[in-house]
Every structure is written in C-alpha cells, then in structure tokens.
Amino acid sequence: MNKIAYFLIFVVLAGTATLLQAQRSAERPVEPRAVTPRGPLTEHERSLVSLFDSAAPSVAYITTERIERNLCYAEVAQGAGSGFVWDSAGHVVTNFHVIQNARKVLVQLDAGKEPVAAEYVGAAPEYDLAVVKLK
C-alpha cells in the first residue's frame, strides 16, 4: 500500500471514532455541577471592583457607518469599537481603525440611552488613535 492509501484509511477510522464518541456523549445525561459559594472578596478584588465602578461611566461604545464601493454596487458597512470620554467638552478617544473612512459616527455612553452623533476631530493613524467630539 502506498502513503495515500494509509492516509485515507486513517482519515476514515478517525472520522468513525469521532462519530461514535459524539453519539455516546449525546446519549449520556449531563448532570449539573454543584456550585460552592465562595467567601467575601479579597482587598485586591474590592479595589479592582471600585476602580471599574469609577471608570465605567467614561467608557464609550462607538458604531460607524461607511460606504463600501466595488465595480457593481455600493453598500453601507457598519463597524463598532470602544473609546473613552476625555473631557467635559465631549471629546472621545478611540482607535483610528474604528472611525477610519466613516461617514457617520455614533457614541453611546449609557446602555439604556440612545447613541449621540459625533464628528471627527483628528487622528494619529500611525499610533491607531483618533478623537471625535459629541455633537
């Protein structure tokens, strides 16, 4: 037998074994794992939670729209990314690749609120940084 024949036999046997194992796994009932409550958070964990709570309001979710054209048609493409509020004037820092070629930028600061339109202020593409300003 040549190498190709051995390889084909191996592939068939491996595939059969995988199918048999999947069938046996599907037949066995899955028992939920018991959850053991843990103790209180450590000081370090409480510190991280506090840091997150204080920083979370400045985190921004950014969505963009841009027109992509090819030889036959044009379509609206959407993108998404994150950023953070830089100052009280409404400047938001994000990555350049998030807003690159965008015709529309929307910034959502709170999951329960509507996104706010933003305009391009400037960028440093070589560092993948960009700034937009809430309108």
Side-chain angles (χ1 to χ4, degrees):
M1 277 200 202
N2 62 23
K3 292 180 182 179
I4 294 174
Y6 283 120
F7 176 75
L8 290 175
I9 290 170
F10 172 77
V11 168
V12 169
L13 290 175
T16 303
T18 302
L19 287 173
L20 289 173
Q21 179 63 31
Q23 184 180 11
R24 273 188 256 137
S25 295
E27 294 170 358
R28 281 186 258 155
V30 177
E31 294 295 322
R33 182 172 63 97
V35 177
T36 306
R38 59 167 278 171
L41 297 177
T42 65
E43 179 60 35
H44 178 69
E45 291 169 326
R46 285 193 304 276
S47 172
L48 289 176
V49 168
S50 175
L51 176 63
F52 174 80
D53 286 343
S54 65
S58 68
V59 175
Y61 177 66
I62 300 169
T63 55
T64 61
E65 291 181 2
R66 69 180 182 280
I67 302 292
E68 290 189 353
R69 300 182 198 293
N70 66 25
L71 295 176
C72 300
Y73 61 91
E75 66 180 351
V76 176
Q78 294 185 327
S82 62
F84 60 91
V85 178
W86 181 257
D87 59 19
S88 60
H91 291 97
V92 177
V93 178
T94 187
N95 294 105
F96 177 70
H97 72 266
V98 171
I99 58 101
Q100 185 177 14
N101 299 324
R103 71 176 187 136
K104 185 177 183 181
V105 178
L106 297 171
V107 178
Q108 188 170 5
L109 299 173
D110 187 350
K113 295 185 179 174
E114 290 294 314
V116 176
E119 60 188 1
Y120 174 82
V121 173
E126 65 276 13
Y127 297 107
D128 195 26
L129 290 174
V131 176
V132 296
K133 186 172 191 269
L134 301 178
K135 291 184 179 181

